Amino acid sequence: MTATAVTGDSLDSDSVCQWPGITCTPEGRRVTGINLRDSTISGPLFGNFSALTQLTFLDLSSNTIGGLIPNDLSRCCNLKHLNLSHNIIEGELRLSGLSNLEVLDLSVNKIYGDVHSTFPTLCNRLIAANLSTNSFTGRIDDIFSGCRYLKYVDFSSNRFSGEVWAGFKRLVKFSVSGNHHLSGNISASMFRGNCTLQVLDLSENEFAGEFPGQVSNCQNLKVLNLWGNNFMGNIPGEIGSIFSLRGLYLGRNKFSREIPETLLNLINLIFLDLSRNSFGGDVQEIFGRFTQVKYLILHGNSYVGGIYSSNILTLRNLSRLDLSYNNFSGRLPSEISQIQSLRFLILAFNNFSGDIPREYGNMLGLQPLDLSFNRLTGSLPALFGKLTSLLWLMLANNSLSGEIPREIGKCSSLLWFNVANNQLSGGLYPELTNMGTNPTPTFEVNQQNKDYIISGSGECLVMKRWIPAEVPPFVFGYAALTKKSCRSLWDHVLKGKCIFPVCPASSIVGPLDISGYLQLSGNMLSGEVPANISQMKKLSMFHLGFNEFEGKVPIQIGQLPLMFLNLTRNKFSGQIPQEIGNLSSLQNLDLSYNNFSGNFPTSLNDLNEMSKFNISYNPFIYGVIPSRGQLATFGKESFRGNPLLQFPSFFIQSGNNNTSSGGRDNGREEEEDDDEAAIDMLALYWSIVSFYVVGLIGILVLMYLDCPWCRAWIRLVDAFMASLKSKLS
């Protein structure tokens, strides 16, 4: 946006008023509205909006506008709607002159400081105020007294402290979640009289004491979110008279284990979260009678049993069941497969043992199945191939054995597959590369889901477990998982929207797209990687480390949009494909501890995004490491155990100046380790040569003697040499 767009009050209607996003008065002489939402605008905010004296609407949200809010904006005295959300604006709140403002949205920026001096001066006519996801501080219990028309307040995900405003009952929505420092008790007087609340979100703070039953005065309440506080005592039975309630979030508190029977009267209740209250013992019987509930979240309660006795397996409307982080043991309940409405089944971090019930392959609508971190044994059911809606299959850290069934390749929506740290054998069969090739039908089903659910329902815990932390491109999404963003990120992933940056092979600019991963590390898988791995077009992370794969890496791997490739500690051989250099968005490459040979591919020097690199202990690779470019930013430890490689002179002169991630480390211990590694490799080669020479002389002598034990010795030497050749090939 340039200054010529707003040089005065009287404008040429044939120019400015015809621009996209510009609204003018009926006669077309004065600008009244500017809507440039999501218009790729960057740089500082324009500093002469006050020249538009009739401006009432300004929306510059979802851009990359930075810098401070200019003082000039406070002089737009007719402004009624101001939306600067989802930018990178910083500094303090300076809008004290906007006395006619009705809608203010500054959410998802970097604005900081106390709001006492500004907010009361601009809320005279304010109806909606959203300051969420910034860095505001200070108290907020005394800033709303002059806001007569205020109905919607979202101050969540900031750093506000002190007590909460006692007059929130007259609003429609009041959210202060995720401030972490708001404290004190919620008193009964806060709900006396007329209460118009529809959403009350006090989650993730330090409120304590008993929660008052007088909340039942809020008969229009649809969402009550108390998650993540220190509330204690009994759950108020009076909540059961709020028949409009659709979401009840009471997790991570200290409520007693007795669940009021009156809650069964909540006929519109869809979402019930009573996680992390350390109930212990068996799952309470009452949960099996919440027949109206679709989402039942009971993770982290130290339950040891009661899955059957509670009758929760008979809840025919359940869409999501989360029993993770408990102490359940024994076999997985096969009866759960009879809940045909089930879409999300999360049983991770328990002590379940035995086989995975083959009946789970009959839950055709299942999208995430998370059985990771248990004690499961046996093989993966081939019936899983029927689960064409499956997006996540998380089976890591069990003791599963056998092959990965070829039928898994029929899971056309399976983008995220994690079986790390099991005892699986067999190979990565060509049929398996069909998984995740067409998730669109599943995403379209999710786009039709109209259930209104807010964050605080376990999404963060689940997503942080499913998203590989510190692995590009997922590190971006992982870092963004604040409590407030979990809900939107969760929705984006389920509906096929783009949240992770990926980069197709040979592309310079990486668009946002769905990023899949294949995590097979820590097993006993073997064989070759099939050439048709190239059809896994949404694969951003490919981890085959700590297995027994062998043969050549297919050149087709260079056609994937990979950002993470880890083949460490296998038996791959042959030349490293030059085509890996086509993975222009690759950030993490680990080919260490294999049997690669041949000329070092200098195309790897073109991987300008790479921040972690390891090719150590492939002793038959030879060639010259470039003295300039990306590879020169890595230290010698990225190339350990490769005596045939020629390094730039500064490697030798400066020792180990860089780390494998590009940082600096001048420690003497690292230099000594490099020297010791080189000496060890040299000693190994001399030992092999010496043994070969001595063995050859011995064979000639024994052939001359020609005795029975001599022939046995020759066969033993032949067997050893054949074994040695196979290891070095």
Side-chain angles (χ1 to χ4, degrees), residues 372 374-378 380 394-401 418-425 519-524 546-547:
S372 55
N374 279 285
R375 300 179 180 179
L376 301 174
T377 55
L380 277 66
M394 317 300 289
L395 303 173
N397 294 82
N398 282 286
S399 297
L400 298 170
S401 58
N418 188 348
V419 290
N421 302 322
N422 280 282
Q423 300 170 20
L424 297 171
S425 56
Q519 169 57 292
L520 307 180
S521 65
N523 284 284
M524 297 181 289
F546 299 90
N547 278 288

PDB file of all heavy atoms in Angstrom, residues 372 374-378 380 394-401 418-425 519-524 546-547:
ATOM      1  N   SER A 372       0.572 -46.642  20.374  1.00  0.00           N
ATOM      2  CA  SER A 372       2.002 -46.581  20.660  1.00  0.00           C
ATOM      3  C   SER A 372       2.285 -46.627  22.155  1.00  0.00           C
ATOM      4  O   SER A 372       1.420 -46.367  22.989  1.00  0.00           O
ATOM      5  CB  SER A 372       2.600 -45.312  20.043  1.00  0.00           C
ATOM      6  OG  SER A 372       1.906 -44.159  20.493  1.00  0.00           O
ATOM      7  N   ASN A 374       2.967 -49.202  24.293  1.00  0.00           N
ATOM      8  CA  ASN A 374       2.355 -50.255  25.083  1.00  0.00           C
ATOM      9  C   ASN A 374       3.303 -51.449  25.083  1.00  0.00           C
ATOM     10  O   ASN A 374       4.497 -51.286  24.862  1.00  0.00           O
ATOM     11  CB  ASN A 374       0.972 -50.613  24.514  1.00  0.00           C
ATOM     12  CG  ASN A 374      -0.112 -49.650  24.970  1.00  0.00           C
ATOM     13  OD1 ASN A 374      -0.561 -49.692  26.108  1.00  0.00           O
ATOM     14  ND2 ASN A 374      -0.540 -48.764  24.068  1.00  0.00           N
ATOM     15  N   ARG A 375       2.769 -52.630  25.297  1.00  0.00           N
ATOM     16  CA  ARG A 375       3.589 -53.847  25.305  1.00  0.00           C
ATOM     17  C   ARG A 375       3.021 -54.856  24.316  1.00  0.00           C
ATOM     18  O   ARG A 375       2.988 -56.056  24.572  1.00  0.00           O
ATOM     19  CB  ARG A 375       3.643 -54.435  26.713  1.00  0.00           C
ATOM     20  CG  ARG A 375       4.245 -53.486  27.741  1.00  0.00           C
ATOM     21  CD  ARG A 375       4.255 -54.088  29.128  1.00  0.00           C
ATOM     22  NE  ARG A 375       4.824 -53.171  30.118  1.00  0.00           N
ATOM     23  CZ  ARG A 375       4.937 -53.443  31.415  1.00  0.00           C
ATOM     24  NH1 ARG A 375       4.484 -54.594  31.884  1.00  0.00           N
ATOM     25  NH2 ARG A 375       5.462 -52.559  32.238  1.00  0.00           N
ATOM     26  N   LEU A 376       2.566 -54.365  23.209  1.00  0.00           N
ATOM     27  CA  LEU A 376       1.901 -55.207  22.228  1.00  0.00           C
ATOM     28  C   LEU A 376       2.905 -56.102  21.512  1.00  0.00           C
ATOM     29  O   LEU A 376       4.038 -55.700  21.234  1.00  0.00           O
ATOM     30  CB  LEU A 376       1.151 -54.343  21.221  1.00  0.00           C
ATOM     31  CG  LEU A 376       0.083 -53.417  21.825  1.00  0.00           C
ATOM     32  CD1 LEU A 376      -0.484 -52.497  20.750  1.00  0.00           C
ATOM     33  CD2 LEU A 376      -1.028 -54.227  22.480  1.00  0.00           C
ATOM     34  N   THR A 377       2.464 -57.315  21.210  1.00  0.00           N
ATOM     35  CA  THR A 377       3.289 -58.279  20.493  1.00  0.00           C
ATOM     36  C   THR A 377       2.503 -58.780  19.281  1.00  0.00           C
ATOM     37  O   THR A 377       1.406 -58.326  19.010  1.00  0.00           O
ATOM     38  CB  THR A 377       3.675 -59.450  21.405  1.00  0.00           C
ATOM     39  OG1 THR A 377       2.479 -60.034  21.959  1.00  0.00           O
ATOM     40  CG2 THR A 377       4.564 -58.983  22.550  1.00  0.00           C
ATOM     41  N   GLY A 378       3.093 -59.726  18.587  1.00  0.00           N
ATOM     42  CA  GLY A 378       2.416 -60.269  17.421  1.00  0.00           C
ATOM     43  C   GLY A 378       2.595 -59.380  16.209  1.00  0.00           C
ATOM     44  O   GLY A 378       3.400 -58.446  16.198  1.00  0.00           O
ATOM     45  N   LEU A 380       1.127 -57.107  12.670  1.00  0.00           N
ATOM     46  CA  LEU A 380       0.115 -56.129  12.270  1.00  0.00           C
ATOM     47  C   LEU A 380      -0.980 -56.853  11.489  1.00  0.00           C
ATOM     48  O   LEU A 380      -0.676 -57.601  10.560  1.00  0.00           O
ATOM     49  CB  LEU A 380       0.723 -55.039  11.393  1.00  0.00           C
ATOM     50  CG  LEU A 380       1.419 -53.861  12.062  1.00  0.00           C
ATOM     51  CD1 LEU A 380       2.672 -54.308  12.788  1.00  0.00           C
ATOM     52  CD2 LEU A 380       1.750 -52.789  11.024  1.00  0.00           C
ATOM     53  N   MET A 394      -0.261 -45.115  14.454  1.00  0.00           N
ATOM     54  CA  MET A 394       0.842 -44.904  15.381  1.00  0.00           C
ATOM     55  C   MET A 394       1.004 -46.153  16.243  1.00  0.00           C
ATOM     56  O   MET A 394       0.201 -46.425  17.131  1.00  0.00           O
ATOM     57  CB  MET A 394       0.563 -43.678  16.258  1.00  0.00           C
ATOM     58  CG  MET A 394      -0.012 -42.478  15.499  1.00  0.00           C
ATOM     59  SD  MET A 394       1.067 -41.875  14.191  1.00  0.00           S
ATOM     60  CE  MET A 394       2.375 -41.150  15.154  1.00  0.00           C
ATOM     61  N   LEU A 395       2.064 -46.921  15.975  1.00  0.00           N
ATOM     62  CA  LEU A 395       2.299 -48.189  16.670  1.00  0.00           C
ATOM     63  C   LEU A 395       3.701 -48.251  17.260  1.00  0.00           C
ATOM     64  O   LEU A 395       4.188 -49.330  17.606  1.00  0.00           O
ATOM     65  CB  LEU A 395       2.101 -49.358  15.692  1.00  0.00           C
ATOM     66  CG  LEU A 395       0.732 -49.429  14.991  1.00  0.00           C
ATOM     67  CD1 LEU A 395       0.736 -50.527  13.941  1.00  0.00           C
ATOM     68  CD2 LEU A 395      -0.374 -49.657  15.993  1.00  0.00           C
ATOM     69  N   ALA A 396       4.348 -47.119  17.404  1.00  0.00           N
ATOM     70  CA  ALA A 396       5.751 -47.083  17.836  1.00  0.00           C
ATOM     71  C   ALA A 396       5.911 -47.593  19.269  1.00  0.00           C
ATOM     72  O   ALA A 396       4.984 -47.585  20.074  1.00  0.00           O
ATOM     73  CB  ALA A 396       6.291 -45.660  17.734  1.00  0.00           C
ATOM     74  N   ASN A 397       7.124 -48.071  19.550  1.00  0.00           N
ATOM     75  CA  ASN A 397       7.535 -48.455  20.896  1.00  0.00           C
ATOM     76  C   ASN A 397       6.641 -49.533  21.494  1.00  0.00           C
ATOM     77  O   ASN A 397       6.079 -49.402  22.575  1.00  0.00           O
ATOM     78  CB  ASN A 397       7.596 -47.222  21.803  1.00  0.00           C
ATOM     79  CG  ASN A 397       8.691 -46.262  21.383  1.00  0.00           C
ATOM     80  OD1 ASN A 397       8.496 -45.459  20.470  1.00  0.00           O
ATOM     81  ND2 ASN A 397       9.837 -46.350  22.021  1.00  0.00           N
ATOM     82  N   ASN A 398       6.516 -50.610  20.753  1.00  0.00           N
ATOM     83  CA  ASN A 398       5.917 -51.844  21.237  1.00  0.00           C
ATOM     84  C   ASN A 398       6.906 -52.969  20.968  1.00  0.00           C
ATOM     85  O   ASN A 398       8.098 -52.720  20.807  1.00  0.00           O
ATOM     86  CB  ASN A 398       4.569 -52.086  20.545  1.00  0.00           C
ATOM     87  CG  ASN A 398       3.454 -51.227  21.113  1.00  0.00           C
ATOM     88  OD1 ASN A 398       2.958 -51.477  22.200  1.00  0.00           O
ATOM     89  ND2 ASN A 398       3.057 -50.195  20.372  1.00  0.00           N
ATOM     90  N   SER A 399       6.421 -54.195  20.909  1.00  0.00           N
ATOM     91  CA  SER A 399       7.275 -55.343  20.573  1.00  0.00           C
ATOM     92  C   SER A 399       6.658 -56.127  19.431  1.00  0.00           C
ATOM     93  O   SER A 399       6.662 -57.359  19.412  1.00  0.00           O
ATOM     94  CB  SER A 399       7.462 -56.240  21.810  1.00  0.00           C
ATOM     95  OG  SER A 399       8.126 -55.562  22.845  1.00  0.00           O
ATOM     96  N   LEU A 400       6.113 -55.397  18.467  1.00  0.00           N
ATOM     97  CA  LEU A 400       5.471 -56.027  17.324  1.00  0.00           C
ATOM     98  C   LEU A 400       6.514 -56.711  16.446  1.00  0.00           C
ATOM     99  O   LEU A 400       7.650 -56.240  16.322  1.00  0.00           O
ATOM    100  CB  LEU A 400       4.706 -54.986  16.517  1.00  0.00           C
ATOM    101  CG  LEU A 400       3.561 -54.284  17.263  1.00  0.00           C
ATOM    102  CD1 LEU A 400       3.044 -53.103  16.458  1.00  0.00           C
ATOM    103  CD2 LEU A 400       2.438 -55.262  17.568  1.00  0.00           C
ATOM    104  N   SER A 401       6.116 -57.829  15.833  1.00  0.00           N
ATOM    105  CA  SER A 401       7.038 -58.596  15.002  1.00  0.00           C
ATOM    106  C   SER A 401       6.357 -58.954  13.689  1.00  0.00           C
ATOM    107  O   SER A 401       5.217 -58.572  13.428  1.00  0.00           O
ATOM    108  CB  SER A 401       7.490 -59.860  15.746  1.00  0.00           C
ATOM    109  OG  SER A 401       6.370 -60.651  16.112  1.00  0.00           O
ATOM    110  N   ASN A 418       3.856 -44.621  11.681  1.00  0.00           N
ATOM    111  CA  ASN A 418       4.979 -44.685  12.624  1.00  0.00           C
ATOM    112  C   ASN A 418       4.972 -46.037  13.328  1.00  0.00           C
ATOM    113  O   ASN A 418       4.097 -46.313  14.148  1.00  0.00           O
ATOM    114  CB  ASN A 418       4.878 -43.556  13.652  1.00  0.00           C
ATOM    115  CG  ASN A 418       6.122 -43.454  14.531  1.00  0.00           C
ATOM    116  OD1 ASN A 418       6.968 -44.351  14.537  1.00  0.00           O
ATOM    117  ND2 ASN A 418       6.237 -42.364  15.278  1.00  0.00           N
ATOM    118  N   VAL A 419       5.942 -46.884  12.993  1.00  0.00           N
ATOM    119  CA  VAL A 419       6.110 -48.179  13.659  1.00  0.00           C
ATOM    120  C   VAL A 419       7.523 -48.288  14.237  1.00  0.00           C
ATOM    121  O   VAL A 419       8.065 -49.382  14.366  1.00  0.00           O
ATOM    122  CB  VAL A 419       5.828 -49.342  12.693  1.00  0.00           C
ATOM    123  CG1 VAL A 419       4.354 -49.413  12.345  1.00  0.00           C
ATOM    124  CG2 VAL A 419       6.679 -49.224  11.421  1.00  0.00           C
ATOM    125  N   ALA A 420       8.116 -47.167  14.600  1.00  0.00           N
ATOM    126  CA  ALA A 420       9.494 -47.154  15.092  1.00  0.00           C
ATOM    127  C   ALA A 420       9.639 -47.972  16.367  1.00  0.00           C
ATOM    128  O   ALA A 420       8.704 -48.108  17.160  1.00  0.00           O
ATOM    129  CB  ALA A 420       9.949 -45.719  15.339  1.00  0.00           C
ATOM    130  N   ASN A 421      10.812 -48.527  16.544  1.00  0.00           N
ATOM    131  CA  ASN A 421      11.200 -49.209  17.781  1.00  0.00           C
ATOM    132  C   ASN A 421      10.287 -50.390  18.099  1.00  0.00           C
ATOM    133  O   ASN A 421       9.678 -50.479  19.165  1.00  0.00           O
ATOM    134  CB  ASN A 421      11.238 -48.217  18.949  1.00  0.00           C
ATOM    135  CG  ASN A 421      12.181 -47.068  18.694  1.00  0.00           C
ATOM    136  OD1 ASN A 421      13.258 -47.246  18.122  1.00  0.00           O
ATOM    137  ND2 ASN A 421      11.784 -45.863  19.092  1.00  0.00           N
ATOM    138  N   ASN A 422      10.190 -51.287  17.131  1.00  0.00           N
ATOM    139  CA  ASN A 422       9.540 -52.574  17.321  1.00  0.00           C
ATOM    140  C   ASN A 422      10.528 -53.658  16.901  1.00  0.00           C
ATOM    141  O   ASN A 422      11.736 -53.433  16.903  1.00  0.00           O
ATOM    142  CB  ASN A 422       8.237 -52.635  16.510  1.00  0.00           C
ATOM    143  CG  ASN A 422       7.088 -51.922  17.201  1.00  0.00           C
ATOM    144  OD1 ASN A 422       6.489 -52.439  18.131  1.00  0.00           O
ATOM    145  ND2 ASN A 422       6.775 -50.706  16.736  1.00  0.00           N
ATOM    146  N   GLN A 423      10.017 -54.822  16.529  1.00  0.00           N
ATOM    147  CA  GLN A 423      10.865 -55.929  16.078  1.00  0.00           C
ATOM    148  C   GLN A 423      10.387 -56.434  14.722  1.00  0.00           C
ATOM    149  O   GLN A 423      10.410 -57.629  14.436  1.00  0.00           O
ATOM    150  CB  GLN A 423      10.841 -57.054  17.123  1.00  0.00           C
ATOM    151  CG  GLN A 423      11.355 -56.626  18.485  1.00  0.00           C
ATOM    152  CD  GLN A 423      11.118 -57.662  19.566  1.00  0.00           C
ATOM    153  OE1 GLN A 423      10.911 -58.836  19.281  1.00  0.00           O
ATOM    154  NE2 GLN A 423      11.133 -57.235  20.819  1.00  0.00           N
ATOM    155  N   LEU A 424       9.945 -55.510  13.895  1.00  0.00           N
ATOM    156  CA  LEU A 424       9.410 -55.868  12.596  1.00  0.00           C
ATOM    157  C   LEU A 424      10.516 -56.328  11.650  1.00  0.00           C
ATOM    158  O   LEU A 424      11.643 -55.825  11.698  1.00  0.00           O
ATOM    159  CB  LEU A 424       8.672 -54.676  11.988  1.00  0.00           C
ATOM    160  CG  LEU A 424       7.444 -54.189  12.773  1.00  0.00           C
ATOM    161  CD1 LEU A 424       6.937 -52.879  12.202  1.00  0.00           C
ATOM    162  CD2 LEU A 424       6.345 -55.244  12.761  1.00  0.00           C
ATOM    163  N   SER A 425      10.162 -57.265  10.803  1.00  0.00           N
ATOM    164  CA  SER A 425      11.114 -57.789   9.826  1.00  0.00           C
ATOM    165  C   SER A 425      10.483 -57.709   8.446  1.00  0.00           C
ATOM    166  O   SER A 425       9.450 -57.085   8.256  1.00  0.00           O
ATOM    167  CB  SER A 425      11.498 -59.233  10.186  1.00  0.00           C
ATOM    168  OG  SER A 425      10.341 -60.048  10.274  1.00  0.00           O
ATOM    169  N   GLN A 519       7.923 -43.499   9.221  1.00  0.00           N
ATOM    170  CA  GLN A 519       8.878 -43.676  10.317  1.00  0.00           C
ATOM    171  C   GLN A 519       8.990 -45.168  10.625  1.00  0.00           C
ATOM    172  O   GLN A 519       8.127 -45.759  11.268  1.00  0.00           O
ATOM    173  CB  GLN A 519       8.378 -42.867  11.534  1.00  0.00           C
ATOM    174  CG  GLN A 519       9.074 -43.101  12.867  1.00  0.00           C
ATOM    175  CD  GLN A 519      10.546 -42.876  12.860  1.00  0.00           C
ATOM    176  OE1 GLN A 519      11.265 -43.635  12.239  1.00  0.00           O
ATOM    177  NE2 GLN A 519      10.999 -41.854  13.571  1.00  0.00           N
ATOM    178  N   LEU A 520      10.065 -45.779  10.116  1.00  0.00           N
ATOM    179  CA  LEU A 520      10.264 -47.218  10.251  1.00  0.00           C
ATOM    180  C   LEU A 520      11.516 -47.550  11.050  1.00  0.00           C
ATOM    181  O   LEU A 520      11.932 -48.714  11.085  1.00  0.00           O
ATOM    182  CB  LEU A 520      10.370 -47.865   8.861  1.00  0.00           C
ATOM    183  CG  LEU A 520       9.245 -47.586   7.854  1.00  0.00           C
ATOM    184  CD1 LEU A 520       9.515 -48.309   6.549  1.00  0.00           C
ATOM    185  CD2 LEU A 520       7.907 -47.996   8.409  1.00  0.00           C
ATOM    186  N   SER A 521      12.132 -46.602  11.696  1.00  0.00           N
ATOM    187  CA  SER A 521      13.439 -46.805  12.323  1.00  0.00           C
ATOM    188  C   SER A 521      13.360 -47.764  13.507  1.00  0.00           C
ATOM    189  O   SER A 521      12.306 -47.963  14.114  1.00  0.00           O
ATOM    190  CB  SER A 521      14.013 -45.464  12.782  1.00  0.00           C
ATOM    191  OG  SER A 521      13.197 -44.904  13.803  1.00  0.00           O
ATOM    192  N   GLY A 522      14.505 -48.344  13.833  1.00  0.00           N
ATOM    193  CA  GLY A 522      14.610 -49.172  15.026  1.00  0.00           C
ATOM    194  C   GLY A 522      13.903 -50.501  14.923  1.00  0.00           C
ATOM    195  O   GLY A 522      13.312 -50.979  15.902  1.00  0.00           O
ATOM    196  N   ASN A 523      13.957 -51.135  13.755  1.00  0.00           N
ATOM    197  CA  ASN A 523      13.375 -52.455  13.566  1.00  0.00           C
ATOM    198  C   ASN A 523      14.431 -53.382  12.967  1.00  0.00           C
ATOM    199  O   ASN A 523      15.632 -53.114  13.067  1.00  0.00           O
ATOM    200  CB  ASN A 523      12.133 -52.359  12.671  1.00  0.00           C
ATOM    201  CG  ASN A 523      10.930 -51.805  13.406  1.00  0.00           C
ATOM    202  OD1 ASN A 523      10.301 -52.504  14.193  1.00  0.00           O
ATOM    203  ND2 ASN A 523      10.599 -50.531  13.161  1.00  0.00           N
ATOM    204  N   MET A 524      13.979 -54.466  12.352  1.00  0.00           N
ATOM    205  CA  MET A 524      14.888 -55.408  11.688  1.00  0.00           C
ATOM    206  C   MET A 524      14.478 -55.584  10.231  1.00  0.00           C
ATOM    207  O   MET A 524      14.581 -56.666   9.661  1.00  0.00           O
ATOM    208  CB  MET A 524      14.876 -56.752  12.425  1.00  0.00           C
ATOM    209  CG  MET A 524      15.389 -56.661  13.855  1.00  0.00           C
ATOM    210  SD  MET A 524      15.391 -58.248  14.715  1.00  0.00           S
ATOM    211  CE  MET A 524      13.632 -58.507  14.949  1.00  0.00           C
ATOM    212  N   PHE A 546      18.580 -47.527  11.547  1.00  0.00           N
ATOM    213  CA  PHE A 546      18.684 -48.634  12.501  1.00  0.00           C
ATOM    214  C   PHE A 546      17.848 -49.831  12.057  1.00  0.00           C
ATOM    215  O   PHE A 546      17.014 -50.357  12.786  1.00  0.00           O
ATOM    216  CB  PHE A 546      18.272 -48.179  13.900  1.00  0.00           C
ATOM    217  CG  PHE A 546      19.123 -47.076  14.454  1.00  0.00           C
ATOM    218  CD1 PHE A 546      18.798 -45.753  14.238  1.00  0.00           C
ATOM    219  CD2 PHE A 546      20.281 -47.359  15.168  1.00  0.00           C
ATOM    220  CE1 PHE A 546      19.593 -44.727  14.726  1.00  0.00           C
ATOM    221  CE2 PHE A 546      21.085 -46.348  15.666  1.00  0.00           C
ATOM    222  CZ  PHE A 546      20.741 -45.022  15.441  1.00  0.00           C
ATOM    223  N   ASN A 547      18.072 -50.249  10.813  1.00  0.00           N
ATOM    224  CA  ASN A 547      17.462 -51.450  10.274  1.00  0.00           C
ATOM    225  C   ASN A 547      18.536 -52.246   9.550  1.00  0.00           C
ATOM    226  O   ASN A 547      19.735 -52.070   9.811  1.00  0.00           O
ATOM    227  CB  ASN A 547      16.300 -51.087   9.338  1.00  0.00           C
ATOM    228  CG  ASN A 547      15.020 -50.796  10.079  1.00  0.00           C
ATOM    229  OD1 ASN A 547      14.380 -51.694  10.617  1.00  0.00           O
ATOM    230  ND2 ASN A 547      14.620 -49.515  10.115  1.00  0.00           N
TER     231      ASN A 547
END
